[in-house]
Amino acid sequence: MRFSTADSPDADGLLFQYGVYSFDGPEAFSLDLTRQFEVLGEDGDHDHFVQVHCELIYEPVPALVALGDFTSWFFHDSGEDLGQWLEALTTRDAWAAIREQRPVKLEVYQAAV
């Protein structure tokens, strides 16, 4: 779904990423789906971004650790095709390993960056 955002190529973005991280405790495999919006200041210039995350956390079992890490961005108004970006993500070999596991935690949160 598109939102009313600033008129810049980075104003509305989608991020798909996974990997083994230890941000707030022991290592875990994280599958993170993020929506990013640009926030403008009172002067109409870039102030910061807001990111809304939906993160699935898994035990770092060998099959998931072996996937390494992966990051892919899509920005509306960049000229790229959303359908092609989504297709490339859904056909990644990593899904076979991820589907075999059950998340141990789900976190939904918002952060300013």
Side-chain angles (χ1 to χ4, degrees):
M1 168 185 269
R2 292 298 309 267
F3 292 89
S4 178
T5 57
D7 188 21
S8 70
D10 295 350
D12 186 356
L14 303 170
L15 170 62
F16 173 83
Q17 62 184 346
Y18 61 76
V20 176
Y21 307 102
S22 59
F23 297 125
D24 296 326
E27 284 192 340
F29 181 86
S30 167
L31 173 64
D32 187 6
L33 310 166
T34 301
R35 185 76 179 258
Q36 176 175 283
F37 300 103
E38 181 178 27
V39 177
L40 303 178
E42 291 181 20
D43 59 1
D45 289 333
H46 172 82
D47 185 62
H48 65 280
F49 292 104
V50 171
Q51 293 182 339
V52 180
H53 295 261
C54 178
E55 185 177 5
L56 294 122
I57 312 286
Y58 299 81
E59 293 291 333
V61 297
L64 296 178
V65 172
L67 297 175
D69 61 345
F70 176 78
T71 301
S72 181
W73 279 98
F74 174 84
F75 290 97
H76 294 285
D77 301 327
S78 68
E80 294 185 37
D81 182 80
L82 177 60
Q84 289 177 345
W85 182 74
L86 292 170
E87 178 69 21
L89 295 179
T90 60
T91 59
R92 292 192 59 79
D93 292 338
W95 287 112
I98 295 169
R99 278 190 197 105
E100 294 295 316
Q101 307 302 317
R102 293 207 182 264
V104 295
K105 188 194 256 184
L106 169 68
E107 293 186 351
V108 177
Y109 59 96
Q110 176 180 312
V113 294

